[in-house]
Amino acid sequence: MRIIVVGAAGAIGQAACAELSSRHEIITAGRSSGDIKVDLADEESIEAMYAKAGPVDAVICAAGEVAFGRLAEMTGEKYLYSLKNKVLTQINLVLKGLNVVSEGGSFTLTSGILDRDPIRVGSGSATANGALGGFVKAAAIDMPRGLRINVVSPGLLEVSASRYGAMFPGHEQVSSRRVGLAYAKCVEGGTTGLVVPVD
C-alpha cells in the first residue's frame, strides 16, 4: 500500500511509520517537515498534498493541537481553537480525500485518552477527542466506495513522558510499539467506525 502519514515527525506519527514502513510505501507529510509540506488549517494545502502524493491507499493523521488550561481559565475561543486545530483539520483531511484514496482504502485519525480518562487542564483536549470519536462513528456508515475510517486514541506515550508526564498523574504510559500496532490494525485490518484505545 501507499500510505500518507500526516504528522509523521511527531511521536505518534513516528510510531505509526515504524510499524508500517517495512511493509508499505510511506509518504510523510507535515507543516514543517516530510516528503510533502501541508498546512491542515488550509483546505487548498490539503488538496495540493493529495495532488502531489498521487494515488494512495490509506491516510493516517497524527497531527493536531489543543488548548490546555484549568476550567476557570478556559474561554470559548480556547475550546474553538481545539475544535478547529484537532477536529476540523482531520475532518477536512477526510473530506478532501474521499475521491482520492483508492476504493476500499482507509482513513485513520488520532484523538487521545483524555475524553475517557481526564486530567486537570485537559477539558479542551477531551472535548476535541470526543468530537472525533463521534465523527468517525457516524462517518463510517456514510463513506463512499467501500472506504473505511477509524480513530486511534492513545494514552501518554513513554517517549513523551519527560515532556508531559507531570500533567498525567497516575496514568500508565504506553509504548510506541503498541501505538504503532493500533495504526496497523486500522490500516491493514477491516474495521471501520471504531475508536481504538491504547491504554
Side-chain angles (χ1 to χ4, degrees):
M1 282 189 265
R2 300 186 78 240
I3 304 169
I4 297 177
V5 180
V6 181
I12 293 172
Q14 288 181 43
C17 290
E19 176 59 34
L20 292 164
S21 60
S22 65
R23 300 185 296 278
H24 306 287
E25 179 184 351
I26 304 296
I27 303 159
T28 60
R31 188 166 48 195
S32 57
S33 65
D35 301 318
I36 303 174
K37 302 292 193 302
V38 63
D39 178 0
L40 292 183
D42 181 345
E43 293 182 38
E44 290 184 357
S45 180
I46 296 172
E47 291 174 350
M49 177 198 74
Y50 280 126
K52 187 170 184 180
V56 293
D57 304 295
V59 177
I60 291 172
C61 187
E65 297 177 6
V66 296
F68 287 96
R70 296 301 292 264
L71 187 62
E73 303 165 352
M74 293 292 284
T75 63
E77 284 300 313
K78 289 181 179 179
Y79 285 104
L80 187 59
Y81 176 87
S82 299
L83 292 170
K84 281 184 174 179
N85 290 283
K86 187 165 186 179
V87 182
L88 188 58
T89 50
Q90 297 194 71
I91 289 174
N92 281 334
L93 190 66
V94 173
L95 295 177
K96 296 298 182 182
L98 287 178
N99 295 316
V100 177
V101 175
S102 301
E103 184 170 347
S106 69
F107 297 89
T108 305
L109 310 184
T110 301
S111 60
I113 195 172
L114 296 184
D115 61 326
R116 64 183 188 278
D117 193 357
I119 61 170
R120 289 192 175 105
V121 312
S123 64
S125 179
T127 300
N129 294 343
L132 282 165
F135 168 72
V136 161
K137 289 175 186 177
I141 65 172
D142 208 22
M143 296 288 276
R145 302 187 303 109
L147 295 171
R148 298 180 299 105
I149 183 168
N150 298 285
V151 58
V152 174
S153 179
L156 176 66
L157 273 69
E158 291 171 349
V159 296
S160 303
S162 61
R163 185 173 178 186
Y164 299 111
M167 296 170 60
F168 289 78
H171 279 239
E172 185 168 351
Q173 298 159 19
V174 298
S175 69
S176 297
R177 165 82 172 147
R178 289 186 58 219
V179 172
L181 287 172
Y183 287 94
K185 176 180 181 177
C186 293
V187 171
E188 298 175 323
T191 61
T192 191
L194 293 187
V195 176
V196 180
V198 187
D199 296 340

